[in-house]
Amino acid sequence: MKTKFLIPSLLLIFLTSCSSDNDNNTDDGNEVPTGFMPLKNNNYWTYDVDSDLSSSTNPLTRDSIYVSGDTLINSVTYKKIKSLTIPTGFFSSTLRNNGIKIDGSKLLMTGNFSFDFGLTTPINLGVTDFIFFKENAIVGQVLSTASGTINQTVQSFPLTIDYTLKSVYNGGQATYVFPNGDDYSDIKKTKIILNLKITTVQTISGISFPITIMNAQDVIVSDQYYSKNVGMIYTSTVLNYQLNSIPNVTLPIPSTFNQTQTESIKSFLIN
């Protein structure tokens, strides 16, 4: 269905060493392991990826991810997610080459939470045991957060970027029906949100002063739908931002941007 995000220079940032605050990463041993993303070796999922920028020159694409086997990260065993080609969809991009594990009712990811939008430098957050799904959560419950501050220079502008990545349980529904009639049952939903605030310091006539380029706002919001015994079946991701108007300052960044992307399951194999 959708294609890769075409993000301007504002989001060409490299975020690492995130601090995480998770909703109980440690399983108490009493929870039944979740079946909302089966992680046996060689399980795979393919997705049609579409965006509102799709055209004859920027067509629909197909992503494919699979469980390649075990991987050790800091002496902990995870399942490694790989892809046949570099994915264009948000969901597949964030899981690709990372370690995933089931911890009771939760799905945890360790690695680089990477948003590969086909540009030179993707947004790339290092996360440890980031909970991106929890089966028995309460609607609106924050599952994980990763936040911090980095400094990045974009075309001579020194930027200070405050960021927060979080996951939120977004409820469930009995079924999800695609336009072609394919239907999936026992649906649980997660919302992934990336919030950014960007400031800079400019010097005029020898005097330095701070400027807020972008007020804190949710730049990426991704709604993900999971079906029991299948995995993620549908994701709708919105990229949206608006910069402040700054008199006598010309930024090398478009003042606004908005794009929507969807990923719809095409096929899967669950062992």
Side-chain angles (χ1 to χ4, degrees):
M1 283 185 161
K2 293 187 178 175
T3 59
K4 57 193 173 185
F5 284 119
L6 303 178
I7 297 183
S9 299
L10 171 64
L11 295 182
L12 300 186
I13 56 180
F14 184 78
L15 306 179
T16 57
S17 302
C18 292
S19 61
S20 296
D21 180 10
N22 295 336
D23 168 52
N24 185 20
N25 274 351
T26 304
D27 179 25
D28 62 8
N30 297 320
E31 293 180 304
V32 176
T34 184
F36 278 81
M37 188 173 180
L39 292 177
K40 289 188 177 180
N41 293 350
N42 301 316
N43 284 358
Y44 72 77
W45 303 262
T46 68
Y47 300 97
D48 284 337
V49 185
D50 189 16
S51 81
D52 51 18
L53 297 182
S54 296
S55 66
S56 58
T57 57
N58 188 25
L60 310 183
T61 59
R62 176 73 55 79
D63 285 349
S64 177
I65 58 174
Y66 64 97
V67 182
S68 67
D70 291 348
T71 183
L72 280 176
I73 304 175
N74 297 325
S75 301
V76 177
T77 300
Y78 297 81
K79 290 296 185 180
K80 185 72 170 285
I81 304 298
K82 291 188 176 181
S83 62
L84 295 179
T85 59
I86 297 176
T88 58
F90 176 86
F91 177 80
S92 297
S93 294
T94 55
L95 265 62
R96 177 176 179 258
N97 292 331
N98 288 323
I100 308 297
K101 72 174 181 177
I102 295 172
D103 182 11
S105 65
K106 301 181 286 292
L107 291 168
L108 280 61
M109 182 177 77
T110 292
N112 291 318
F113 201 94
S114 178
F115 316 149
D116 187 353
F117 304 111
L119 297 176
T120 303
T121 308
I123 300 174
N124 193 354
L125 287 76
V127 295
T128 300
D129 285 346
F130 184 87
I131 302 169
F132 63 95
F133 176 88
K134 184 178 181 181
E135 180 177 341
N136 57 359
I138 301 170
V139 176
Q141 179 179 347
V142 175
L143 307 179
S144 269
T145 61
S147 59
T149 300
I150 66 166
N151 296 301
Q152 178 78 21
T153 298
V154 176
Q155 296 187 25
S156 78
F157 280 84
L159 304 181
T160 297
I161 304 132
D162 298 315
Y163 63 90
T164 298
L165 175 72
K166 69 178 178 180
S167 56
V168 180
Y169 180 65
N170 204 28
Q173 59 193 60
T175 59
Y176 185 89
V177 182
F178 286 95
N180 65 1
D182 290 347
D183 65 291
Y184 294 84
S185 61
D186 199 350
I187 307 300
K188 304 291 184 182
K189 298 181 289 184
T190 297
K191 188 183 293 288
I192 306 295
I193 302 167
L194 176 64
N195 184 280
L196 298 178
K197 177 183 178 181
I198 302 179
T199 58
T200 189
V201 174
Q202 292 296 295
T203 301
I204 298 177
S205 299
I207 301 175
S208 298
F209 55 94
I211 298 174
T212 300
I213 294 176
M214 186 175 77
N215 296 332
Q217 55 192 267
D218 294 338
V219 173
I220 293 176
V221 178
S222 181
D223 289 295
Q224 302 178 354
Y225 293 64
Y226 293 78
S227 176
K228 192 170 185 179
N229 300 320
V230 177
M232 199 287 291
I233 60 165
Y234 177 77
T235 292
S236 176
T237 304
V238 176
L239 168 69
N240 180 70
Y241 72 77
Q242 183 169 353
L243 305 184
N244 295 326
S245 178
I246 305 171
N248 303 317
V249 175
T250 301
L251 297 171
I253 304 164
S255 60
T256 62
F257 190 79
N258 183 273
Q259 184 183 356
T260 300
Q261 181 196 74
T262 62
E263 299 160 82
S264 300
I265 194 164
K266 181 66 177 179
S267 63
F268 62 93
L269 173 67
I270 303 299
N271 294 301

PDB file of all heavy atoms in Angstrom, residues 9-32:
ATOM      1  N   SER A   9      15.338  17.639   5.709  1.00  0.00           N
ATOM      2  CA  SER A   9      16.582  17.621   6.492  1.00  0.00           C
ATOM      3  C   SER A   9      16.347  17.744   7.981  1.00  0.00           C
ATOM      4  O   SER A   9      17.185  17.331   8.772  1.00  0.00           O
ATOM      5  CB  SER A   9      17.491  18.765   6.022  1.00  0.00           C
ATOM      6  OG  SER A   9      17.819  18.619   4.671  1.00  0.00           O
ATOM      7  N   LEU A  10      15.229  18.301   8.394  1.00  0.00           N
ATOM      8  CA  LEU A  10      14.957  18.468   9.825  1.00  0.00           C
ATOM      9  C   LEU A  10      15.076  17.154  10.569  1.00  0.00           C
ATOM     10  O   LEU A  10      15.581  17.099  11.690  1.00  0.00           O
ATOM     11  CB  LEU A  10      13.548  19.041  10.007  1.00  0.00           C
ATOM     12  CG  LEU A  10      13.021  19.081  11.450  1.00  0.00           C
ATOM     13  CD1 LEU A  10      13.877  20.025  12.276  1.00  0.00           C
ATOM     14  CD2 LEU A  10      11.574  19.488  11.475  1.00  0.00           C
ATOM     15  N   LEU A  11      14.639  16.062   9.952  1.00  0.00           N
ATOM     16  CA  LEU A  11      14.615  14.789  10.648  1.00  0.00           C
ATOM     17  C   LEU A  11      15.786  13.890  10.294  1.00  0.00           C
ATOM     18  O   LEU A  11      15.784  12.711  10.595  1.00  0.00           O
ATOM     19  CB  LEU A  11      13.294  14.069  10.345  1.00  0.00           C
ATOM     20  CG  LEU A  11      12.075  14.800  10.893  1.00  0.00           C
ATOM     21  CD1 LEU A  11      10.807  14.016  10.599  1.00  0.00           C
ATOM     22  CD2 LEU A  11      12.198  15.036  12.380  1.00  0.00           C
ATOM     23  N   LEU A  12      16.808  14.448   9.672  1.00  0.00           N
ATOM     24  CA  LEU A  12      18.001  13.663   9.387  1.00  0.00           C
ATOM     25  C   LEU A  12      18.914  13.721  10.597  1.00  0.00           C
ATOM     26  O   LEU A  12      19.959  14.354  10.604  1.00  0.00           O
ATOM     27  CB  LEU A  12      18.714  14.200   8.144  1.00  0.00           C
ATOM     28  CG  LEU A  12      17.880  14.168   6.874  1.00  0.00           C
ATOM     29  CD1 LEU A  12      18.752  14.576   5.689  1.00  0.00           C
ATOM     30  CD2 LEU A  12      17.303  12.807   6.638  1.00  0.00           C
ATOM     31  N   ILE A  13      18.488  13.075  11.678  1.00  0.00           N
ATOM     32  CA  ILE A  13      19.218  13.103  12.937  1.00  0.00           C
ATOM     33  C   ILE A  13      19.547  11.679  13.358  1.00  0.00           C
ATOM     34  O   ILE A  13      18.843  10.740  13.002  1.00  0.00           O
ATOM     35  CB  ILE A  13      18.399  13.804  14.033  1.00  0.00           C
ATOM     36  CG1 ILE A  13      17.033  13.133  14.181  1.00  0.00           C
ATOM     37  CG2 ILE A  13      18.211  15.266  13.729  1.00  0.00           C
ATOM     38  CD1 ILE A  13      16.168  13.746  15.239  1.00  0.00           C
ATOM     39  N   PHE A  14      20.611  11.560  14.117  1.00  0.00           N
ATOM     40  CA  PHE A  14      21.032  10.242  14.568  1.00  0.00           C
ATOM     41  C   PHE A  14      20.977  10.224  16.091  1.00  0.00           C
ATOM     42  O   PHE A  14      21.759  10.867  16.756  1.00  0.00           O
ATOM     43  CB  PHE A  14      22.460   9.954  14.082  1.00  0.00           C
ATOM     44  CG  PHE A  14      22.927   8.572  14.422  1.00  0.00           C
ATOM     45  CD1 PHE A  14      22.500   7.504  13.665  1.00  0.00           C
ATOM     46  CD2 PHE A  14      23.775   8.357  15.486  1.00  0.00           C
ATOM     47  CE1 PHE A  14      22.935   6.229  13.972  1.00  0.00           C
ATOM     48  CE2 PHE A  14      24.213   7.079  15.787  1.00  0.00           C
ATOM     49  CZ  PHE A  14      23.787   6.023  15.021  1.00  0.00           C
ATOM     50  N   LEU A  15      20.003   9.467  16.621  1.00  0.00           N
ATOM     51  CA  LEU A  15      19.765   9.442  18.054  1.00  0.00           C
ATOM     52  C   LEU A  15      20.290   8.123  18.615  1.00  0.00           C
ATOM     53  O   LEU A  15      19.940   7.055  18.139  1.00  0.00           O
ATOM     54  CB  LEU A  15      18.268   9.542  18.350  1.00  0.00           C
ATOM     55  CG  LEU A  15      17.536  10.735  17.709  1.00  0.00           C
ATOM     56  CD1 LEU A  15      16.067  10.683  18.068  1.00  0.00           C
ATOM     57  CD2 LEU A  15      18.137  12.037  18.154  1.00  0.00           C
ATOM     58  N   THR A  16      21.135   8.206  19.651  1.00  0.00           N
ATOM     59  CA  THR A  16      21.672   6.994  20.252  1.00  0.00           C
ATOM     60  C   THR A  16      21.650   7.094  21.767  1.00  0.00           C
ATOM     61  O   THR A  16      21.426   8.139  22.337  1.00  0.00           O
ATOM     62  CB  THR A  16      23.131   6.751  19.814  1.00  0.00           C
ATOM     63  OG1 THR A  16      23.915   7.899  20.164  1.00  0.00           O
ATOM     64  CG2 THR A  16      23.232   6.523  18.319  1.00  0.00           C
ATOM     65  N   SER A  17      21.903   5.927  22.395  1.00  0.00           N
ATOM     66  CA  SER A  17      22.040   5.851  23.856  1.00  0.00           C
ATOM     67  C   SER A  17      20.817   6.402  24.569  1.00  0.00           C
ATOM     68  O   SER A  17      20.925   7.237  25.456  1.00  0.00           O
ATOM     69  CB  SER A  17      23.294   6.601  24.312  1.00  0.00           C
ATOM     70  OG  SER A  17      24.429   6.077  23.685  1.00  0.00           O
ATOM     71  N   CYS A  18      19.642   5.895  24.188  1.00  0.00           N
ATOM     72  CA  CYS A  18      18.410   6.336  24.849  1.00  0.00           C
ATOM     73  C   CYS A  18      18.317   5.726  26.233  1.00  0.00           C
ATOM     74  O   CYS A  18      18.676   4.582  26.448  1.00  0.00           O
ATOM     75  CB  CYS A  18      17.189   5.874  24.050  1.00  0.00           C
ATOM     76  SG  CYS A  18      17.017   6.668  22.472  1.00  0.00           S
ATOM     77  N   SER A  19      17.799   6.520  27.184  1.00  0.00           N
ATOM     78  CA  SER A  19      17.423   5.963  28.473  1.00  0.00           C
ATOM     79  C   SER A  19      15.998   5.473  28.358  1.00  0.00           C
ATOM     80  O   SER A  19      15.179   6.081  27.703  1.00  0.00           O
ATOM     81  CB  SER A  19      17.527   7.033  29.562  1.00  0.00           C
ATOM     82  OG  SER A  19      16.665   8.109  29.289  1.00  0.00           O
ATOM     83  N   SER A  20      15.706   4.315  28.978  1.00  0.00           N
ATOM     84  CA  SER A  20      14.382   3.723  28.836  1.00  0.00           C
ATOM     85  C   SER A  20      13.690   3.636  30.181  1.00  0.00           C
ATOM     86  O   SER A  20      14.301   3.416  31.210  1.00  0.00           O
ATOM     87  CB  SER A  20      14.487   2.318  28.216  1.00  0.00           C
ATOM     88  OG  SER A  20      15.006   2.389  26.913  1.00  0.00           O
ATOM     89  N   ASP A  21      12.374   3.788  30.154  1.00  0.00           N
ATOM     90  CA  ASP A  21      11.535   3.630  31.332  1.00  0.00           C
ATOM     91  C   ASP A  21      10.386   2.737  30.911  1.00  0.00           C
ATOM     92  O   ASP A  21       9.487   3.158  30.205  1.00  0.00           O
ATOM     93  CB  ASP A  21      11.014   4.987  31.804  1.00  0.00           C
ATOM     94  CG  ASP A  21      10.144   4.853  33.042  1.00  0.00           C
ATOM     95  OD1 ASP A  21      10.113   3.759  33.623  1.00  0.00           O
ATOM     96  OD2 ASP A  21       9.492   5.849  33.412  1.00  0.00           O
ATOM     97  N   ASN A  22      10.434   1.463  31.328  1.00  0.00           N
ATOM     98  CA  ASN A  22       9.483   0.483  30.848  1.00  0.00           C
ATOM     99  C   ASN A  22       8.493   0.089  31.919  1.00  0.00           C
ATOM    100  O   ASN A  22       8.763   0.164  33.107  1.00  0.00           O
ATOM    101  CB  ASN A  22      10.204  -0.777  30.361  1.00  0.00           C
ATOM    102  CG  ASN A  22      11.061  -0.492  29.149  1.00  0.00           C
ATOM    103  OD1 ASN A  22      10.808   0.462  28.425  1.00  0.00           O
ATOM    104  ND2 ASN A  22      12.073  -1.302  28.942  1.00  0.00           N
ATOM    105  N   ASP A  23       7.339  -0.380  31.464  1.00  0.00           N
ATOM    106  CA  ASP A  23       6.317  -0.893  32.353  1.00  0.00           C
ATOM    107  C   ASP A  23       6.656  -2.329  32.714  1.00  0.00           C
ATOM    108  O   ASP A  23       6.246  -3.264  32.023  1.00  0.00           O
ATOM    109  CB  ASP A  23       4.942  -0.819  31.681  1.00  0.00           C
ATOM    110  CG  ASP A  23       3.885  -1.599  32.439  1.00  0.00           C
ATOM    111  OD1 ASP A  23       3.757  -1.365  33.640  1.00  0.00           O
ATOM    112  OD2 ASP A  23       3.208  -2.441  31.816  1.00  0.00           O
ATOM    113  N   ASN A  24       7.472  -2.503  33.748  1.00  0.00           N
ATOM    114  CA  ASN A  24       7.778  -3.832  34.266  1.00  0.00           C
ATOM    115  C   ASN A  24       8.364  -4.745  33.201  1.00  0.00           C
ATOM    116  O   ASN A  24       7.711  -5.627  32.664  1.00  0.00           O
ATOM    117  CB  ASN A  24       6.505  -4.475  34.856  1.00  0.00           C
ATOM    118  CG  ASN A  24       6.816  -5.812  35.520  1.00  0.00           C
ATOM    119  OD1 ASN A  24       7.961  -6.078  35.861  1.00  0.00           O
ATOM    120  ND2 ASN A  24       5.789  -6.627  35.701  1.00  0.00           N
ATOM    121  N   ASN A  25       9.634  -4.553  32.907  1.00  0.00           N
ATOM    122  CA  ASN A  25      10.291  -5.390  31.904  1.00  0.00           C
ATOM    123  C   ASN A  25      10.403  -6.847  32.331  1.00  0.00           C
ATOM    124  O   ASN A  25      10.527  -7.732  31.498  1.00  0.00           O
ATOM    125  CB  ASN A  25      11.707  -4.870  31.632  1.00  0.00           C
ATOM    126  CG  ASN A  25      11.678  -3.785  30.579  1.00  0.00           C
ATOM    127  OD1 ASN A  25      10.667  -3.537  29.959  1.00  0.00           O
ATOM    128  ND2 ASN A  25      12.821  -3.144  30.386  1.00  0.00           N
ATOM    129  N   THR A  26      10.417  -7.123  33.608  1.00  0.00           N
ATOM    130  CA  THR A  26      10.690  -8.478  34.087  1.00  0.00           C
ATOM    131  C   THR A  26       9.408  -9.249  34.292  1.00  0.00           C
ATOM    132  O   THR A  26       8.537  -8.861  35.060  1.00  0.00           O
ATOM    133  CB  THR A  26      11.475  -8.429  35.420  1.00  0.00           C
ATOM    134  OG1 THR A  26      12.667  -7.669  35.215  1.00  0.00           O
ATOM    135  CG2 THR A  26      11.823  -9.818  35.866  1.00  0.00           C
ATOM    136  N   ASP A  27       9.281 -10.365  33.608  1.00  0.00           N
ATOM    137  CA  ASP A  27       8.119 -11.228  33.748  1.00  0.00           C
ATOM    138  C   ASP A  27       8.167 -11.914  35.110  1.00  0.00           C
ATOM    139  O   ASP A  27       9.204 -12.415  35.537  1.00  0.00           O
ATOM    140  CB  ASP A  27       8.134 -12.254  32.608  1.00  0.00           C
ATOM    141  CG  ASP A  27       6.966 -13.214  32.687  1.00  0.00           C
ATOM    142  OD1 ASP A  27       5.946 -12.844  33.273  1.00  0.00           O
ATOM    143  OD2 ASP A  27       7.104 -14.335  32.155  1.00  0.00           O
ATOM    144  N   ASP A  28       7.007 -11.969  35.778  1.00  0.00           N
ATOM    145  CA  ASP A  28       6.995 -12.605  37.092  1.00  0.00           C
ATOM    146  C   ASP A  28       6.831 -14.120  36.998  1.00  0.00           C
ATOM    147  O   ASP A  28       6.737 -14.800  38.014  1.00  0.00           O
ATOM    148  CB  ASP A  28       5.876 -12.005  37.962  1.00  0.00           C
ATOM    149  CG  ASP A  28       4.493 -12.231  37.359  1.00  0.00           C
ATOM    150  OD1 ASP A  28       4.370 -12.975  36.353  1.00  0.00           O
ATOM    151  OD2 ASP A  28       3.526 -11.659  37.895  1.00  0.00           O
ATOM    152  N   GLY A  29       6.771 -14.656  35.768  1.00  0.00           N
ATOM    153  CA  GLY A  29       6.691 -16.095  35.595  1.00  0.00           C
ATOM    154  C   GLY A  29       5.282 -16.630  35.621  1.00  0.00           C
ATOM    155  O   GLY A  29       5.063 -17.820  35.369  1.00  0.00           O
ATOM    156  N   ASN A  30       4.287 -15.783  35.903  1.00  0.00           N
ATOM    157  CA  ASN A  30       2.902 -16.240  35.997  1.00  0.00           C
ATOM    158  C   ASN A  30       2.084 -15.920  34.757  1.00  0.00           C
ATOM    159  O   ASN A  30       0.984 -16.430  34.586  1.00  0.00           O
ATOM    160  CB  ASN A  30       2.217 -15.600  37.216  1.00  0.00           C
ATOM    161  CG  ASN A  30       2.880 -16.033  38.520  1.00  0.00           C
ATOM    162  OD1 ASN A  30       3.249 -17.189  38.676  1.00  0.00           O
ATOM    163  ND2 ASN A  30       3.020 -15.094  39.446  1.00  0.00           N
ATOM    164  N   GLU A  31       2.609 -15.060  33.866  1.00  0.00           N
ATOM    165  CA  GLU A  31       1.869 -14.679  32.682  1.00  0.00           C
ATOM    166  C   GLU A  31       2.048 -15.708  31.570  1.00  0.00           C
ATOM    167  O   GLU A  31       3.134 -16.252  31.368  1.00  0.00           O
ATOM    168  CB  GLU A  31       2.336 -13.306  32.180  1.00  0.00           C
ATOM    169  CG  GLU A  31       1.995 -12.165  33.113  1.00  0.00           C
ATOM    170  CD  GLU A  31       2.479 -10.845  32.554  1.00  0.00           C
ATOM    171  OE1 GLU A  31       3.678 -10.736  32.264  1.00  0.00           O
ATOM    172  OE2 GLU A  31       1.643  -9.935  32.396  1.00  0.00           O
ATOM    173  N   VAL A  32       0.964 -15.971  30.849  1.00  0.00           N
ATOM    174  CA  VAL A  32       1.038 -16.861  29.697  1.00  0.00           C
ATOM    175  C   VAL A  32       1.723 -16.116  28.560  1.00  0.00           C
ATOM    176  O   VAL A  32       1.356 -14.981  28.258  1.00  0.00           O
ATOM    177  CB  VAL A  32      -0.375 -17.310  29.269  1.00  0.00           C
ATOM    178  CG1 VAL A  32      -0.305 -18.164  28.011  1.00  0.00           C
ATOM    179  CG2 VAL A  32      -1.048 -18.077  30.401  1.00  0.00           C
TER     180      VAL A  32
END
